[in-house]
Each structure stands twice: as C-alpha cells, then as structure tokens.
C-alpha cells in the first residue's frame, strides 16, 4: 500500500504546516481537534500494540492469517507458482476469448493499486528503524501474504454479481453475504455493511487524501513550496476527468507509465546492485545477522521483526480485501485462476520491489555502523539508525539511488506522483464498489460518490489533516479485521475449488492452448 | 469443396480494392473467399479497474459493430458475384491472427492490402503486410 509509516507522514505534515497560512492553519487545527477527539479511540484501537510491546496487534493479525492460509493450503504459494506464471503468460487462455481481460491485465491493474509510495518510502522507514534485518522478516511476511491474496481473490471472483449488461461487481462484501448464506452462517450481511463502510473511509483517506498529500509534498520538494490547494485542484480536475468524464486517455497513459516506472525502478536498483556486486554477499550477511540479532537496532531482533512484518503487511494489502474487488471484475470461467494470478502480487510488490529498495539502501552504505563492533549507531532519540545526512523515509531512498545516479531523484519524484495518481484511481473504484453495495447500483448514485471523491482530493492535498489520515489508515486495516474473519469461515470453499481445479488439470480437462 | 482464399479486410478503401482483386482471383480459380476482420487487441496492454469491469460489455459491442457495420454490408454486396463468401472475426495481433485464420480455414492463399507507409513508423512498428510475408504458412499476395 502506498502509505509511509507514521514517521514519514509526520515529517510531511510538519512541512505542510510550516507553509500553511495562519488563517487556514487555525481552521485546520480546529478540524484536527474535533476530528481526533471523535475518532482517536478508533485509531488507537486498530494500531494499539500488544501490552508491554511496540508490536501492533493488527500486524500480528495479518501475519498470523497469512501463516494459517499458507498451512491450510499446504504452501500453495510455492506449489502453484509455476502454474501462476503460465496463466499470466496466457498458456491456458482460449484464443476464442481474445478481447476479454487477460490474466496479465488483471495482475498489472491490481499491482498498480499496491505498488507505490510504500515500496519506496515505507521500506526506507522500516530499514531505517529495524536495520537490514527487517528485510528478512519483510520477505518472509511477503511470502506468507501470497496465500492470503490467493484465498481472498478466489472468493472475490466466485461470489461476484454479474449483471445483464455484462458488467460485474465483486469483492469481500459479496462473498460475505452470498458465501455466508450458502454455508448457513449468520451475520454475513452485517459484516458486509461494516466492511463497505470501512472501505469507503479507507478509499477517501489512505487511498485518496494521503496520496494527494504525499504527491504534493513530492512536487513541492522538487519545485519549491507552494500552496497545496493548487496541487489539489489540478489533481482533482484530472481525477474528475478520468472517473466522471470517462476520459480514457489520461487513465490509459497513467496505466502505461506506471508499470514502466515500476520496471525502471527495479532495473535501476539491479544496475546499482551489479555495480556493487562484490557487496551483495555482505549485504545478505547483514540481512541475516540483523534478522536474528538486530545488529544494535532499537529492540534488537524483535525490533527488526516488527518493522519487517509491518512493512510487508502494509505494502501488499494482502488480507485487506481491496485486491478481491480488483480481481472480481475479471471474466474467467475458473475463479481459482484469479487466485493463482493474484498470489504473484505480494511476491512482486514485497519480495521483489521492497527488497530492491532495502538492498540499495544497505549496499550504498546509507546506514552508519560502528566499524569496530559492526553494530549500527542510533541517533539521539535511540530509535532510528544514523544515516548519511540524517535522511529518513523517501529522502533516504532518494539519497541511496542518487549516490549512484544523480538524476534519479527526479525520476523518483515523478514516479511517486504517478504512483499516487494510479492508487487514487484504483481506490476510487474500490470505494465505488462499496458505495454501490450499500446504496445500490445507479448512475446518479455513482456520480455522487465520485464527486465526493474528487472533493477529498483537494482536501487531502491542501490541508494538514493528520488525524483524518490516521483515521482513514485505521479504516483500511479495519477492512482487514472484517475481511480475514470472513476468510477463515469461507476457506473450505476455496479448498474445494482448488481440489476440483487440480483434478481437472490432471485429467487434461483443463489444457494448454499454446 | 473449393479452395479457400483469406482476404484481410478492415473497411478501408485500400482493403476494398484488395477484396475486388481477391474476388477476381477466386473467380479465375473457382475458389471461395474468407473475409477476415481482425480487431487489434493485446493481452499485455494496461487497463484501469473500470475498463476491466466494462471489458466484456465493450467486447460484445465491438463484435456486434464489426459484424453489422463492416462484414455484413460487404457480404451483402457480394451476393450474386458467383463467389462463395464466408467471414472470420477475431481479436488479436493482426498478422498473427490472420495466420491463425488461414490455418483454421485450411486456406491456400492470403491476400492483403498495404498501408503504403515506408518510413519511420513502419520501421518501428512494422507493417502487417511485411510481417505476413515473413510468417504466413501459405503464399501471400500483397495488393498495392
């Protein structure tokens, strides 16, 4: 998910606060006060740590769920990996279905909703606090998360609504209602409504205001400070043109540029790693040593583990339910094939892209360690590792890449802005699906939501609404609380689908076309 | 069963001339004509979530439009020409899909027009006629 951890968000908020006129600030402050006193309990509830630790229970909730699904489906993420690749390559696609959405397209679109700021800035925060060892736990959690995605996306396709005109609506709210009633379980409707409310809040917050806010911060960083509402109006205008005006060209340009940016990012990281090939062994040494000892980071091994798990869980959205909405729009005869395809997302997002960021930061020597003991040195606060020039968050990633290629910071700024935009487009869709689930399908109802969405773009970019952002982040993870409960109840259905598919694959009923 | 000749047809003026040529060819060889219309489509392009949702609907609309606005009038125009005419409508890369149609129909020859571009764009993007000349399993006639 394209959100940084709180540290990065706070530094951005501080920057925005410094530039906001005094008048507006007092209004902001009032809004902040009222909002935080009303919603603070909810944020605290979602992000509260286990007693006596700094480990947020929501992170444990996501990682334990991922482990349960990994065991229940007997490590499906590794067993089905080659088959998933074959599906994406189109080996099993019937040529007569050409012109329908391909598995590759479904994967690319879902990925463009998750790859972004989290992979760039979030990883820097994680490694900056948890040290290189955080990377190990991040990869582990990413690998486990693949099983969660597999489960939720299979269900998303299986229980979607198909309408007469050929369009579809799907997602957790549909498997909660239909799946639960099919199994004779109560409360499906209640959970679906709860999920939809959280989804709308998350879509307006983490999927919108936070993105607009970060995009403005990035642009201001490059061109100099200017009022955020300008960015907000421009962004809102573009979002409006795409989601209400149906202006396909902007969306399709973005959807083409975003994967290109993602590939450019990974390739640049690979080149930097190759340039420092003699250090790769050392870097992995640091990752393994750090994973089990912490190498001096705050909290030691546990500190590294918390940061790694947190980053993975926050980055790939496995268990949140958003990917289930994205994949359910795909027309396929076999729901399970979308599950197979989706399990590649945490792999690409977390195991590949996040790891690249971490490796570049480690290998370019951004983190300062004591040459005598090999332990990392902490800053005055004793929480984060000292870095060259004291960089944190996205600035740390930028510095690491720029150490090899000076021009990369401009590419990074463009990438962040585009990633923010593509996340907004994706989340506007997720929010809309939750909205139509609650209020019914219909053109006017849809336009109402889309207008609200555009208004929130302006608010997000111009205001320093920390508590609002906190609340909407909390809403996104509240989606995961409801969604994973549903997944536990519905996972036997996925198992049945899996067995049926595997036996037909064996018997040759499902065959390769290419 | 008469031999079959596949004609690449896209409703452009040049493809109409191509079709006229193919009809004469078919008459002289007492062959049948397969009018092939390919809707360009790549499974590796990128779509927004909304486009994905609407894709099935759009596809049906596109197929319907191609059938009624492109293929049906041509077939009607050829009634009484004395040549047996059938149609093929597919999605995909144009050259590859034309080859697939040739194989599926068991055709003996393929006739296509050309765009006439010789410069930079065809160097970068290639041309359907040029690609077909390289990959077609049957003889290709390119009509200027």
């Amino acid at each position: 998910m394209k959100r940084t951890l709180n540290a990065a968000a706070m530094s951005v908020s501080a920057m925005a606060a410094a530039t906001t006129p005094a008048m507006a600030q007092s209004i902001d402050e009032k809004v902040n006060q009222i909002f935080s006193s009303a919603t603070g309990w909810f944020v605290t509830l979602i992000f509260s740590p286990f007693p006596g630790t700094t480990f947020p229970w929501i992170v444990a909730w996501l990682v334990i769920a991922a482990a349960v699904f990994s065991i229940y489906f007997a490590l499906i993420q590794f067993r089905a990996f080659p088959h998933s690749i074959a599906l994406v390559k189109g080996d099993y696609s019937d040529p007569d279905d050409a012109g329908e959405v391909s598995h590759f397209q479904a994967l690319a679109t879902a990925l463009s909703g998750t790859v972004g700021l989290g992979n760039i800035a979030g990883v820097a925060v994680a490694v900056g606090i948890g040290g290189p060892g955080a990377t190990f736990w991040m990869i582990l959690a990413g690998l486990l998360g693949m099983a969660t995605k597999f489960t939720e996306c299979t269900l998303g396709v299986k229980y979607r609504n198909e309408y007469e005109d050929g369009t579809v609506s799907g997602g957790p709210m549909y498997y909660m209602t239909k799946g639960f009633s099919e199994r004779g379980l109560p409360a499906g409707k209640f959970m679906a409504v709860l999920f939809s409310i959280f989804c709308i809040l998350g879509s307006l917050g983490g999927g919108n205001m936070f993105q607009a806010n970060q995009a403005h911060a990035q642009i201001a960083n490059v061109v100099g400070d200017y009022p955020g509402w300008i960015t907000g109006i421009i962004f809102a205008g573009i979002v409006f043109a795409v989601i209400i005006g149906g202006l396909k060209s902007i969306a399709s340009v973005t959807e083409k540029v975003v994967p290109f940016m993602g590939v450019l990012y990974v390739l640049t990281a690979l080149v930097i790693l190759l340039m420092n090939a003699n250090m790769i062994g050392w870097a992995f040494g640091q990752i393994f040593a750090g994973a089990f000892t912490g190498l001096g980071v705050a909290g030691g091994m546990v500190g590294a583990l918390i940061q790694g798990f947190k980053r993975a869980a926050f980055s790939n959205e496995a268990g949140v339910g958003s990917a289930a909405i994205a994949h359910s729009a795909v027309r396929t005869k076999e729901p399970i094939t979308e599950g197979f395809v989706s399990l590649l997302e945490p792999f690409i997002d977390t195991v590949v892209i996040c790891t690249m960021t971490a490796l570049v930061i480690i290998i370019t020597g951004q983190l300062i360690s004591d040459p005598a003991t090999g332990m990392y040195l902490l800053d005055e606060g004793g929480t984060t590792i000292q870095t060259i020039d004291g960089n944190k968050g996205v600035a740390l990633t930028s510095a690491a890449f720029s150490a090899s290629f000076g021009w990369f910071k401009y590419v990074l700024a463009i990438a962040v802005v585009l990633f923010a935009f593509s996340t907004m487009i994706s989340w506007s869709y997720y929010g809309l699906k939750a909205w139509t689930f609650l209020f019914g399908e219909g053109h006017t109802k849809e336009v109402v939501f889309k207008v609200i969405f555009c208004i929130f773009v302006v608010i997000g970019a111009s205001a320093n609404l920390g508590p609002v952002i906190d609340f909407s982040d909390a809403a996104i993870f509240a989606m995961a609380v409801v969604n994973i409960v549903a997944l536990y109840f519905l996972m036997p259905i996925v198992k049945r689908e899996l067995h049926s598919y595997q036996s037909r694959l064996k018997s040759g009923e499902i065959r390769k076309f290419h | 069963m008469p031999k079959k000749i596949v004609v690449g047809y896209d409703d452009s003026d040049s493809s109409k001339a191509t079709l006229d040529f193919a009809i004469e060819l078919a008459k002289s060889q007492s062959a049948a004509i397969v009018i092939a219309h390919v809707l360009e489509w790549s499974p590796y392009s990128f779509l927004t979530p909304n486009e994905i949702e609407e894709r099935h609907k759009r596809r049906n609309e596109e197929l319907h439009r191609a059938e009624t606005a492109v293929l049906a009038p041509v077939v009607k125009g050829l009634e009484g020409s004395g040549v047996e005419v059938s149609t093929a409508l597919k999605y995909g890369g144009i050259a590859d899909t034309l080859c697939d149609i040739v194989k599926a129909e068991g055709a003996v020859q393929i006739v296509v027009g050309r765009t006439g571009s010789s410069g930079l764009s065809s160097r970068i993007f290639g041309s359907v006629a040029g690609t077909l000349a390289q990959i077609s399993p049957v003889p290709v006639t390119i009509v200027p």
Side-chain angles (χ1 to χ4, degrees), chain A residues 316-330:
Chain A
N316 60 41
E317 289 178 20
V320 168
S322 51
I325 302 178
H327 278 277
S328 58
V330 179

PDB file of all heavy atoms in Angstrom, chain A residues 316-330:
ATOM      1  N   ASN A 316       1.575  -4.797   0.712  1.00  0.00           N
ATOM      2  CA  ASN A 316       0.957  -5.587  -0.361  1.00  0.00           C
ATOM      3  C   ASN A 316      -0.553  -5.750  -0.199  1.00  0.00           C
ATOM      4  O   ASN A 316      -1.198  -6.385  -1.041  1.00  0.00           O
ATOM      5  CB  ASN A 316       1.655  -6.942  -0.510  1.00  0.00           C
ATOM      6  CG  ASN A 316       1.584  -7.761   0.747  1.00  0.00           C
ATOM      7  OD1 ASN A 316       0.571  -7.805   1.418  1.00  0.00           O
ATOM      8  ND2 ASN A 316       2.690  -8.420   1.075  1.00  0.00           N
ATOM      9  N   GLU A 317      -1.120  -5.187   0.882  1.00  0.00           N
ATOM     10  CA  GLU A 317      -2.570  -5.194   1.069  1.00  0.00           C
ATOM     11  C   GLU A 317      -3.181  -6.590   1.135  1.00  0.00           C
ATOM     12  O   GLU A 317      -4.384  -6.735   0.981  1.00  0.00           O
ATOM     13  CB  GLU A 317      -3.288  -4.397  -0.040  1.00  0.00           C
ATOM     14  CG  GLU A 317      -3.093  -2.901   0.054  1.00  0.00           C
ATOM     15  CD  GLU A 317      -3.769  -2.137  -1.087  1.00  0.00           C
ATOM     16  OE1 GLU A 317      -4.679  -2.677  -1.729  1.00  0.00           O
ATOM     17  OE2 GLU A 317      -3.364  -0.978  -1.336  1.00  0.00           O
ATOM     18  N   ALA A 318      -2.356  -7.632   1.334  1.00  0.00           N
ATOM     19  CA  ALA A 318      -2.922  -8.983   1.440  1.00  0.00           C
ATOM     20  C   ALA A 318      -3.800  -9.051   2.682  1.00  0.00           C
ATOM     21  O   ALA A 318      -3.341  -8.749   3.772  1.00  0.00           O
ATOM     22  CB  ALA A 318      -1.809 -10.023   1.501  1.00  0.00           C
ATOM     23  N   GLY A 319      -5.054  -9.424   2.503  1.00  0.00           N
ATOM     24  CA  GLY A 319      -5.971  -9.548   3.623  1.00  0.00           C
ATOM     25  C   GLY A 319      -6.883  -8.344   3.791  1.00  0.00           C
ATOM     26  O   GLY A 319      -7.887  -8.410   4.493  1.00  0.00           O
ATOM     27  N   VAL A 320      -6.530  -7.233   3.135  1.00  0.00           N
ATOM     28  CA  VAL A 320      -7.349  -6.016   3.256  1.00  0.00           C
ATOM     29  C   VAL A 320      -8.664  -6.170   2.476  1.00  0.00           C
ATOM     30  O   VAL A 320      -9.695  -5.650   2.877  1.00  0.00           O
ATOM     31  CB  VAL A 320      -6.550  -4.775   2.786  1.00  0.00           C
ATOM     32  CG1 VAL A 320      -7.452  -3.570   2.633  1.00  0.00           C
ATOM     33  CG2 VAL A 320      -5.420  -4.483   3.754  1.00  0.00           C
ATOM     34  N   GLY A 321      -8.597  -6.916   1.372  1.00  0.00           N
ATOM     35  CA  GLY A 321      -9.818  -7.146   0.603  1.00  0.00           C
ATOM     36  C   GLY A 321      -9.887  -6.317  -0.665  1.00  0.00           C
ATOM     37  O   GLY A 321     -10.757  -6.519  -1.505  1.00  0.00           O
ATOM     38  N   SER A 322      -8.970  -5.369  -0.805  1.00  0.00           N
ATOM     39  CA  SER A 322      -9.000  -4.496  -1.982  1.00  0.00           C
ATOM     40  C   SER A 322      -8.716  -5.280  -3.265  1.00  0.00           C
ATOM     41  O   SER A 322      -9.382  -5.076  -4.284  1.00  0.00           O
ATOM     42  CB  SER A 322      -7.984  -3.374  -1.815  1.00  0.00           C
ATOM     43  OG  SER A 322      -6.727  -3.910  -1.481  1.00  0.00           O
ATOM     44  N   ALA A 323      -7.754  -6.201  -3.206  1.00  0.00           N
ATOM     45  CA  ALA A 323      -7.406  -6.977  -4.402  1.00  0.00           C
ATOM     46  C   ALA A 323      -8.578  -7.858  -4.832  1.00  0.00           C
ATOM     47  O   ALA A 323      -8.773  -8.110  -6.021  1.00  0.00           O
ATOM     48  CB  ALA A 323      -6.175  -7.829  -4.148  1.00  0.00           C
ATOM     49  N   ALA A 324      -9.365  -8.305  -3.841  1.00  0.00           N
ATOM     50  CA  ALA A 324     -10.524  -9.136  -4.178  1.00  0.00           C
ATOM     51  C   ALA A 324     -11.525  -8.340  -5.008  1.00  0.00           C
ATOM     52  O   ALA A 324     -12.182  -8.884  -5.901  1.00  0.00           O
ATOM     53  CB  ALA A 324     -11.187  -9.654  -2.902  1.00  0.00           C
ATOM     54  N   ILE A 325     -11.623  -7.039  -4.730  1.00  0.00           N
ATOM     55  CA  ILE A 325     -12.510  -6.190  -5.533  1.00  0.00           C
ATOM     56  C   ILE A 325     -11.942  -6.042  -6.945  1.00  0.00           C
ATOM     57  O   ILE A 325     -12.653  -6.180  -7.935  1.00  0.00           O
ATOM     58  CB  ILE A 325     -12.685  -4.794  -4.884  1.00  0.00           C
ATOM     59  CG1 ILE A 325     -13.241  -4.931  -3.464  1.00  0.00           C
ATOM     60  CG2 ILE A 325     -13.598  -3.914  -5.739  1.00  0.00           C
ATOM     61  CD1 ILE A 325     -13.400  -3.604  -2.736  1.00  0.00           C
ATOM     62  N   ALA A 326     -10.629  -5.779  -7.023  1.00  0.00           N
ATOM     63  CA  ALA A 326      -9.993  -5.573  -8.325  1.00  0.00           C
ATOM     64  C   ALA A 326     -10.112  -6.812  -9.212  1.00  0.00           C
ATOM     65  O   ALA A 326     -10.481  -6.717 -10.381  1.00  0.00           O
ATOM     66  CB  ALA A 326      -8.524  -5.206  -8.140  1.00  0.00           C
ATOM     67  N   HIS A 327      -9.834  -7.994  -8.634  1.00  0.00           N
ATOM     68  CA  HIS A 327      -9.810  -9.203  -9.456  1.00  0.00           C
ATOM     69  C   HIS A 327     -11.207  -9.694  -9.841  1.00  0.00           C
ATOM     70  O   HIS A 327     -11.361 -10.376 -10.841  1.00  0.00           O
ATOM     71  CB  HIS A 327      -9.061 -10.326  -8.733  1.00  0.00           C
ATOM     72  CG  HIS A 327      -7.579 -10.208  -8.889  1.00  0.00           C
ATOM     73  ND1 HIS A 327      -6.918 -10.681  -9.997  1.00  0.00           N
ATOM     74  CD2 HIS A 327      -6.644  -9.661  -8.101  1.00  0.00           C
ATOM     75  CE1 HIS A 327      -5.627 -10.425  -9.865  1.00  0.00           C
ATOM     76  NE2 HIS A 327      -5.434  -9.808  -8.725  1.00  0.00           N
ATOM     77  N   SER A 328     -12.201  -9.349  -9.028  1.00  0.00           N
ATOM     78  CA  SER A 328     -13.523  -9.905  -9.310  1.00  0.00           C
ATOM     79  C   SER A 328     -14.121  -9.318 -10.582  1.00  0.00           C
ATOM     80  O   SER A 328     -15.084  -9.845 -11.118  1.00  0.00           O
ATOM     81  CB  SER A 328     -14.464  -9.697  -8.126  1.00  0.00           C
ATOM     82  OG  SER A 328     -14.564  -8.330  -7.841  1.00  0.00           O
ATOM     83  N   ALA A 329     -13.525  -8.222 -11.091  1.00  0.00           N
ATOM     84  CA  ALA A 329     -14.040  -7.637 -12.332  1.00  0.00           C
ATOM     85  C   ALA A 329     -13.615  -8.443 -13.557  1.00  0.00           C
ATOM     86  O   ALA A 329     -14.115  -8.225 -14.648  1.00  0.00           O
ATOM     87  CB  ALA A 329     -13.556  -6.194 -12.464  1.00  0.00           C
ATOM     88  N   VAL A 330     -12.709  -9.393 -13.356  1.00  0.00           N
ATOM     89  CA  VAL A 330     -12.189 -10.149 -14.496  1.00  0.00           C
ATOM     90  C   VAL A 330     -13.112 -11.298 -14.841  1.00  0.00           C
ATOM     91  O   VAL A 330     -13.586 -12.016 -13.966  1.00  0.00           O
ATOM     92  CB  VAL A 330     -10.790 -10.708 -14.170  1.00  0.00           C
ATOM     93  CG1 VAL A 330     -10.257 -11.509 -15.335  1.00  0.00           C
ATOM     94  CG2 VAL A 330      -9.850  -9.572 -13.828  1.00  0.00           C
TER      95      VAL A 330
END
